[in-house]
Amino acid sequence: MSTLAVVGAQWGDEGKGKVVDVLAAEADLVARFAGGNNAGHTLVVDGVKIVTHLVPSGCTYPGTRCLLGAGMVIDPEVFAEEIAQLRTHGLLAGDELRVSLDAHVIFEFHRELDALREDASTAQTIGTTRRGIGPAYEAKAARRGIRIRDLLRPDRLRERLEHNKRALEPEFARFGSERSVSVDALCEAAARWVEWIGPMTCDAGAEVLEFIGAGKSVLFEGAQGALLDVDHGTYPYVTSSSTIAGGVCTGLGIGPTLIDGVWGITKAYTTRVGAGPFPTKLDGERGDQIRAAGGEYGATTGRPRDCGWLDLPALRLAARRNGLTGLVVTKLDVLAQLPAIEICTRYQDDLDPGRDGFDDAVPVYEPVAGWGGPNWGEQVSNARSLEQLPAGVRAYLDLVSDYVEVPVTLVSVGPGREQTIRLTAAF
């Protein structure tokens, strides 16, 4: 393979940042295709924790091209802060970054509208990150969005901002806010952004095609997870973009025949943050135990994640909707710390999540036999090959792979790069 897409196979937070960081060591280009700074990818490099929100995880390798695609929504203020922070670690010192001319821009009025809606007593609370992601994608669909390329043309930018002013100020007033949109101030801010964003801009599709044509390795990086996809997730409790592998094509402007493989990432258990159905959620001590052991708090928001046993029907649905060719299992070390575990193998009444949805799903659990040997957590964390894992852990991986009908291609047994067991070559 010369191209590989890596996507989340649950409700996000599966460890995509660490996995992409590991795989990026072999990539010439890492391209992110969707989402905004509502996603946080945590990387641990030489014991140093680095969190990215917009910049692709390939940023830890000097010289590796990092591309922000057209399917993304970009907050320039956040982007600038992130670049500055990465440079304090000696990263992005060269000409690595590229930004699609067709990516959309998040303005402060998007963030404010997001918060007003979430706080409104009559609103259906989705549990957004209040980063303006939804309103920016809404503007895109309403054909009043502002793209990176519009920042480069002041007259067009002013026209687009005036359009947004007319559309949004009445809505601010409806929520009881006296907020007004200052077109002059935003034009001045955009002029400052252009000074440093301008040299990074490109045609994202052409950039990807150039690398593929030259026989180089390209890694496509997703955000959130398959079950948060705006079309195929647990609607309306979803994100505002296409998070499945098909989003690679729309978010970067390339054809599906250029994707050689798709690896989906799942934790050894399941988590979810925000509102929406979560069939295997564990309330009480056991859920708290998993959260504490796994450090299950959002990298972007700090919000605690709900935790539960691995949901195989949901994972199989994600595998189908992404056309997965490989399965990556993360946080196996966390699960190995528990003396006994269960796994959801089906829902009551043979409910099919693809056909029936998740709202009425009642999980049916099975205990995992042979689990909970002495010092398993430490043994798993120190394993560097499949053979070094306890037999019960290997049997668990086989169970998951057989049910989902996708081979396990990589296993993560800790946050460090070295705590990775590769079973299949990526490129």
Side-chain angles (χ1 to χ4, degrees):
M1 295 188 296
S2 63
T3 67
L4 176 67
V6 175
V7 296
Q10 297 174 306
W11 280 283
D13 307 312
E14 303 94 346
K16 292 179 296 297
K18 184 254 173 102
V19 173
V20 173
D21 173 63
V22 168
L23 298 177
E26 305 165 24
D28 299 294
L29 167 66
V30 181
R32 184 169 157 191
F33 58 85
N37 58 299
N38 54 337
H41 289 172
T42 302
L43 317 173
V44 179
V45 182
D46 296 328
V48 178
K49 181 179 177 180
I50 298 172
V51 179
T52 65
H53 301 281
L54 290 166
V55 177
S57 301
C59 63
T60 59
Y61 298 95
T64 297
R65 184 66 53 84
C66 294
L67 171 63
L68 284 69
M72 293 185 65
V73 287
I74 298 171
D75 186 325
E77 300 289 352
V78 173
F79 192 27
E81 291 176 6
E82 186 169 323
I83 293 171
Q85 181 62 29
L86 289 170
R87 284 178 174 162
T88 65
H89 295 287
L91 305 175
L92 300 180
D95 188 34
E96 292 95 343
L97 279 178
R98 292 290 184 277
V99 180
S100 171
L101 285 161
D102 294 311
H104 280 242
V105 180
I106 296 176
F107 287 87
E108 59 183 24
F109 53 76
H110 292 131
R111 296 192 297 270
E112 293 172 9
L113 182 58
D114 202 0
L116 285 171
R117 287 175 173 173
E118 195 73 5
D119 289 338
S121 60
T122 57
Q124 180 182 37
T125 302
I126 303 296
T128 76
T129 58
R130 300 170 182 256
R131 301 299 199 268
I133 309 298
Y137 276 115
E138 176 186 320
K140 176 179 179 177
R143 299 173 181 82
R144 54 179 167 78
I146 297 173
R147 301 165 297 171
I148 293 291
R149 67 170 69 245
D150 297 323
L151 301 181
L152 307 180
R153 299 183 60 175
D155 291 344
R156 177 185 290 177
L157 173 63
R158 180 172 290 276
E159 179 183 324
R160 303 297 291 169
L161 286 170
E162 292 286 1
H163 186 185
N164 279 273
K165 179 182 176 70
R166 292 190 297 271
L168 296 183
E169 285 186 348
E171 185 161 7
F172 282 124
R174 183 168 64 85
F175 284 112
S177 172
E178 298 180 357
R179 172 75 167 88
S180 62
V181 177
S182 174
V183 173
D184 287 340
L186 292 174
C187 284
E188 291 176 5
R192 295 192 297 271
W193 300 337
V194 166
E195 292 179 5
W196 58 271
I197 291 181
M200 303 178 188
T201 58
C202 71
D203 176 337
E207 188 88 356
V208 173
L209 287 172
E210 179 183 342
F211 273 75
I212 294 176
K216 296 184 177 181
S217 299
V218 179
L219 190 59
F220 303 119
E221 179 182 15
Q224 289 89 36
L227 300 178
L228 292 176
D229 186 274
V230 68
D231 294 309
H232 303 288
T234 49
Y235 191 89
Y237 301 99
V238 294
T239 192
S240 302
S241 58
S242 180
T243 61
I244 61 173
V248 172
C249 302
T250 56
L252 291 170
I254 62 171
T257 55
L258 296 176
I259 303 174
D260 294 325
V262 182
W263 287 7
I265 306 179
T266 175
K267 286 176 181 169
Y269 48 95
T270 308
T271 64
R272 179 164 193 167
V273 67
F278 182 3
T280 63
K281 176 184 174 183
L282 291 171
D283 292 313
E285 183 179 350
R286 187 49 60 87
D288 293 342
Q289 186 180 10
I290 296 175
R291 183 182 303 111
E296 294 297 349
Y297 298 89
T300 297
T301 63
R303 291 185 295 181
R305 300 176 185 133
D306 292 325
C307 301
W309 299 129
L310 185 60
D311 187 332
L312 290 181
L315 185 56
R316 183 158 62 182
L317 176 66
R320 188 174 76 227
R321 290 185 169 167
N322 283 284
L324 296 185
T325 60
L327 195 64
V328 176
V329 182
T330 65
K331 294 210 168 183
L332 199 58
D333 55 311
V334 174
L335 198 67
Q337 296 178 39
L338 304 184
I341 67 169
E342 298 179 17
I343 191 167
C344 172
T345 56
R346 63 184 180 89
Y347 299 144
Q348 286 184 8
D349 302 319
D350 294 322
L351 183 143
D352 182 328
R355 180 191 65 226
D356 305 314
F358 288 89
D359 291 337
D360 299 316
V362 178
V364 176
Y365 295 115
E366 293 183 10
V368 176
W371 192 272
N375 302 316
W376 267 26
E378 183 179 351
Q379 188 175 347
V380 170
S381 295
N382 292 329
R384 296 298 179 265
S385 69
L386 196 64
E387 294 72 25
Q388 292 175 354
L389 292 173
V393 174
R394 297 199 304 271
Y396 184 74
L397 293 173
D398 288 340
L399 170 65
V400 174
S401 178
D402 290 345
Y403 186 96
V404 179
E405 298 181 321
V406 177
V408 174
T409 51
L410 186 149
V411 175
S412 174
V413 295
R417 284 175 172 171
E418 73 286 356
Q419 294 178 292
T420 305
I421 300 173
R422 298 282 295 274
L423 305 178
T424 305
F427 299 103

